[in-house]
Structure formats: C-alpha cells, structure tokens
Amino acid sequence: AMPDERAVMTYASSYYHCFSGAQKAETASNRICKVLKVNQENERLMEEYERLASDLLEWIQKTMPWLNSRQTDNSLAGVQKKLEEYRTYRRKHKPPRVEQKAKLETNFNTLQTKLRLSNRPAYMPTEGKMVSDISNAWKGLENAEKAFEEWLLSETMRLERLEHLAQKFKHKADIHEDWTQGKEEMLQGQEFRQCKLYELKALKKKHEAFESDLAAHQDRVEQIAAIAQELNALNYHDCMTVNTRCQRICDQWDRLGNLTNRRREDLDAAERILEKIDLLHLEFAKRAAPFNNWLDGTGEDLVDMFIVHTVEEIQGLIVAHGQFKATLGEADKEYQNIVNLVREVESIVSQHKVPGGLENPYTTLTANELTRKWNEVKQLVPQRDNTLQTELRKQQNNEMVRRQFAEKANLVGPWIEKQLDAVTDIGMGMSGSLEEQLGRLKNLEQAAYSYKPHIEEVEKIHQAVQEGMIFENSYTKYTMETLRVGWEQLLTSINRNINEVENQ
C-alpha cells in the first residue's frame, strides 16, 4: 500500500532527529531529500503500472470478442478480408501491446527491487491487475489468436474449395448449356415429315448419333448435380443461385430425354409409314410393268389385222379369242389388285399428310394410265367379237360361193373337155363323110351356143368369188381361167374344123 502524508512526515521527523546529532545539518537534509525522491519515484512507478495494467487489460477485453467471433458472410472474399484484418492486427495493433506488456513487467520488477532495497514492503497491485492476472489474460489472448488464425486458415481452405467447386460447377454448367443450345428446338422439329424415305433414314442415323451423344452427357449432368449437392453440404454462400441453375439443368435434361424418346418414336412411325408406301410403290411397279406390257400387247392383238381364207381359219381365231376372253376375269382381278395398291397409298398419304407420297420412284406408270388402257381393252374385246363374227359370216359365204363355183365348174369343165374330145375326133376325120362331119360339127356348135348360159352362170359365180377375194378352192381343180381357156378353145376348134370341112 502507498504511504500516506502523515506517515511521510513521521519518517521525516524521525530522520531529522536521527541526524540532528550529525556533524552537519546539511547532510541530514540531503539524505531526507534523497529519501523523498525515492518515494516519489516509487509512487510514479506504481501509478504508471496501474495505468498500463488497466489499459492493457481493457484492450485485451475489447480484443477477445473479435478473436472469438466465428461469424462470416460465408464468402471467400469475406474471410480473406478477416484474414487481412488479422494480419493488420498482428502487424500494427499487437506489437505496441507487446511492448506495453514488457514495459509493465519491467516497471513492476524495478519497483519491487527498489522497495526491497529500501526495506519497504512489496508492492501489491489493485485486485485483478496482478502480473499473474495480466499474464493469464495475455495467455488467453494468445490462445484466442491461435484459435482465430487456425479458424481463418481452415475457413479459407474450405471457402477456396467451395470457390473451386463453384467455378467447376459454373464451367461444367456453361459447357452443358452451350451443348444444349437449340437442342429442344431441334428435337421438336417436324422437318422429317417432309422427307423422302432415304432422307428419313439419314435423319434416323443422325438421331441415333445424338442419342449416343446424349448418353455421354449423362455423366456431366450427374457431375453437375453432385457438385451442387456438395456445395449445399458445405454451406456455400450462393447456394440459391447454384440450386436454381442445377434445377434448371436437370429439368431441361428430363425434357431432352422425353423429347429424344418422342422424336425416336415419331421417326420410327414415319419410317414405318414411308416404308409401307415404298413397299406399295415397289409392288405396284413390279406388277404394273408386266400388266402394262400385257395391255399393250393385248391392245395390239385386238386391233391387229388378220387374213383368213377359210372358215376353219376364222373359227380358229374365234376359239383363240374365246380363250383370251376366259382370261379377262383373272386380268380384271390383277387390275383391281394393282389399282388397290395405289388406292392404299393414296389413303395413307391422305391420312398422314405425306408430301410427295404419291410419287412412285420405281416406275413412271400410273394407275390412271393402266385404267385407260384397261378400259380400251374392254372396249376392243366386243369390237373384236364383231369383227371375227363378221369375218366368220364372210368366210361362210365364201365357202358357199366356193362350193357353188366348184359344183358348177365340175359340171362345165368336164362338158367342155368332152366337147373338145368330140371336136378332135371329127377333126381327125376318123368316121363319116364330110357332110356328116359338118353336120356333127354344126350340132356341136349349136350345143356350145346352147351351153353358153352355163358359162355365163359360172362367170357370175366367179364374179362373187373375186368380190370375196377367194383365191383357193379345194372342191374343184378348175379355175375360171382354165374354163375360159377351154371354152374359147372349144369355140375356136369348132369354127376352125367347120371352115376346114367346108373348104374341102
């Protein structure tokens, strides 16, 4: 405890009496002044200790809450700011306090030494300001500093990892979103409905490649979701933004998967339709070509000119035509089957609105063309019937004329030959007198002139033969030419023989 003023005066009085007997009063005075000076210095040291101790303890008390605080905005920048503040504290604010503590301890030791040398009782600081109190407070400060620094470094490492994860999340999300750019619009496109079959198959190959690409990107989406989950687990400060973006990516991924499956189904359905149309076109081409050739050949046959000379020949044609007509039922079935192929194509094209679906890439033939030719054939068949029947009647008439001619020619021919033989016999003068020969020749001449109507009748029948353009007659060996020659020869021979007999 500090000495009060009365105690000081008592000491001074004691010293004075003590030194009153000294040799010189001045010496005693100097000693008293020296003692007073020492006491004043001790009091100053005590006051300074109290002041420094109070100030240091107050600073420690104010600093501890800051060092014990673990609050942060959970951002790397915030923690780095705290770390910089801590470094500033250690660089600027702490060193003066270290010096203050050292000075405090030095002053306390110096004071205690002086008191001991002066045989004064040891100095006892105010309660709570003992050197041990200050040491304990300082030790607590240093422990808090260590814990705070460790927390800052740990938090920095944690947030650096978070920032790294956040950057990794952003990088992968950026790449993924760049890749998905325009993919939904592409998958929703309906351009395949305007495609030909070969173009659609190429689109399917392209879609299969996209499906493979999509499957490869599944891992990236899973990584993005895993990083977002880790950021949430580590309490990243901007989790809301991360979660929103992650959810958007996952939702879009689900949509892409659904759209991919739907497009695959649409492409498969469109391919089945186009393949069905293609098969129908191919079947039409395979069946239409031979049927068209048959129609062309049949049409030519039905209008083909024919030349017959007998009833047998025209009857052969009629039989063949009858056989042909017997095949028209099967031909009509084939025609209906072929036309039904086109009708089925038209139905599919109309139902599914397939552009260009009616165009057949395998043939230039059309159902309309086949229908036109088929109708022509059906019209030509009865016409051919009429033509054949007309020709049959003509040949039957020719046959009748042929028989009539043969019947008459077979009478006229032998009669002319017989008359010629008779004239020849007379001309040879083998029997009878000249008068008898002449009489017989006159009789032959008269018989010939009497027979002329038969010749004229043959000529008339021959006129019908010529009109019917009958060139052969199997019923007689005589032709009109031979009959004419024989008749002319008969008349000439009779006249010549008559002249010869009359001139004898």
Side-chain angles (χ1 to χ4, degrees), residues 131-189:
V131 173
S132 60
D133 295 330
I134 293 173
S135 295
N136 290 335
W138 189 264
K139 187 175 182 180
L141 177 70
E142 289 181 336
N143 289 337
E145 286 177 350
K146 182 180 179 182
F148 186 63
E149 184 175 13
E150 289 175 351
W151 172 76
L152 283 175
L153 293 175
S154 173
E155 193 70 4
T156 299
M157 292 174 63
R158 182 181 73 86
L159 292 174
E160 281 179 345
R161 172 163 174 73
L162 277 177
E163 284 297 324
H164 171 72
L165 286 174
Q167 288 299 321
K168 188 175 181 181
F169 174 85
K170 181 179 181 302
H171 179 65
K172 288 185 176 293
D174 287 344
I175 292 175
H176 178 75
E177 288 176 343
D178 286 343
W179 179 81
T180 59
Q181 189 76 27
K183 293 294 189 296
E184 289 188 70
E185 292 77 6
M186 180 270 289
L187 292 172
Q188 291 173 332

Side-chain angles (χ1 to χ4, degrees), residues 193-457:
R193 300 193 185 280
Q194 311 296 322
C195 291
K196 303 292 185 184
L197 180 58
Y198 72 92
E199 294 173 330
L200 184 66
K201 288 185 178 294
L203 273 182
K204 278 196 67 178
K205 293 293 184 185
K206 182 178 178 182
H207 187 71
E208 289 171 2
F210 172 76
E211 286 179 320
S212 299
D213 198 13
L214 187 71
H217 275 75
Q218 174 73 31
D219 185 53
R220 175 174 284 115
V221 175
E222 291 175 355
Q223 290 176 7
I224 290 172
I227 293 172
Q229 187 175 1
E230 189 172 359
L231 286 170
N232 277 273
L234 295 174
N235 195 24
Y236 180 57
H237 71 93
D238 199 14
C239 279
M240 183 176 293
T241 302
V242 170
N243 291 339
T244 300
R245 190 173 189 185
C246 181
Q247 189 62 48
R248 185 170 67 245
I249 288 173
C250 290
D251 290 344
Q252 185 189 39
W253 185 254
D254 291 339
R255 289 197 303 274
L256 286 176
N258 293 333
L259 289 173
T260 299
N261 293 334
R262 189 180 309 156
R263 184 171 176 84
R264 156 66 72 175
E265 292 170 0
D266 290 344
L267 288 173
D268 287 342
E271 183 182 35
R272 287 193 295 271
I273 292 169
L274 292 183
E275 283 181 341
K276 176 66 173 176
I277 292 174
D278 188 71
L279 286 174
L280 291 171
H281 280 321
L282 182 59
E283 183 67 15
F284 174 85
K286 287 180 178 179
R287 299 176 73 166
F291 188 71
N292 180 65
N293 291 336
W294 179 83
L295 287 174
D296 289 340
T298 300
E300 292 173 2
D301 293 341
L302 290 173
V303 298
D304 188 28
M305 295 291 295
F306 56 85
I307 299 175
V308 294
H309 302 290
T310 65
V311 172
E312 289 77 11
E313 288 178 350
I314 189 63
Q315 285 177 337
L317 290 178
I318 291 174
V319 170
H321 186 64
Q323 293 172 345
F324 161 72
K325 288 195 294 183
T327 66
L328 288 180
E330 288 299 320
D332 185 65
K333 289 181 182 178
E334 180 66 9
Y335 164 75
Q336 293 298 335
N337 290 335
I338 293 173
V339 171
N340 286 337
L341 292 174
V342 176
R343 289 172 182 165
E344 188 173 355
V345 169
E346 290 174 347
S347 175
I348 295 173
V349 169
S350 175
Q351 180 182 353
H352 298 284
K353 296 180 174 56
V354 181
L358 297 178
E359 298 174 8
N360 193 325
Y362 302 108
T363 181
T364 57
L365 290 172
T366 64
N368 290 336
E369 187 175 357
L370 293 179
T371 299
R372 177 182 61 78
K373 291 183 178 182
W374 176 243
N375 290 333
E376 288 177 357
V377 166
K378 289 194 293 185
Q379 290 174 358
L380 289 173
V381 168
Q383 294 177 10
R384 186 72 168 183
D385 281 331
N386 294 335
T387 302
L388 289 173
Q389 290 301 321
T390 300
E391 185 65 25
L392 176 62
R393 289 191 293 273
K394 176 183 175 183
Q395 290 301 328
Q396 288 173 339
N397 183 67
N398 288 349
E399 183 70 10
M400 182 184 68
V401 171
R402 191 180 285 114
R403 288 178 180 275
Q404 288 177 350
F405 179 84
E407 183 181 355
K408 201 67 179 176
N410 287 336
L411 292 175
V412 172
W415 185 86
I416 292 174
E417 290 172 354
K418 182 180 178 182
Q419 296 301 101
L420 280 172
D421 290 341
V423 171
T424 301
D425 289 341
I426 294 172
M428 294 176 66
M430 292 183 178
S431 62
S433 62
L434 290 176
E435 288 79 6
E436 290 175 348
Q437 290 180 5
L438 182 61
R440 289 170 60 188
L441 285 171
K442 290 290 186 179
N443 289 333
L444 288 173
E445 182 181 25
Q446 185 62 41
Y449 285 123
S450 298
Y451 204 77
K452 188 174 181 179
H454 295 282
I455 298 299
E456 290 175 349
E457 187 177 353

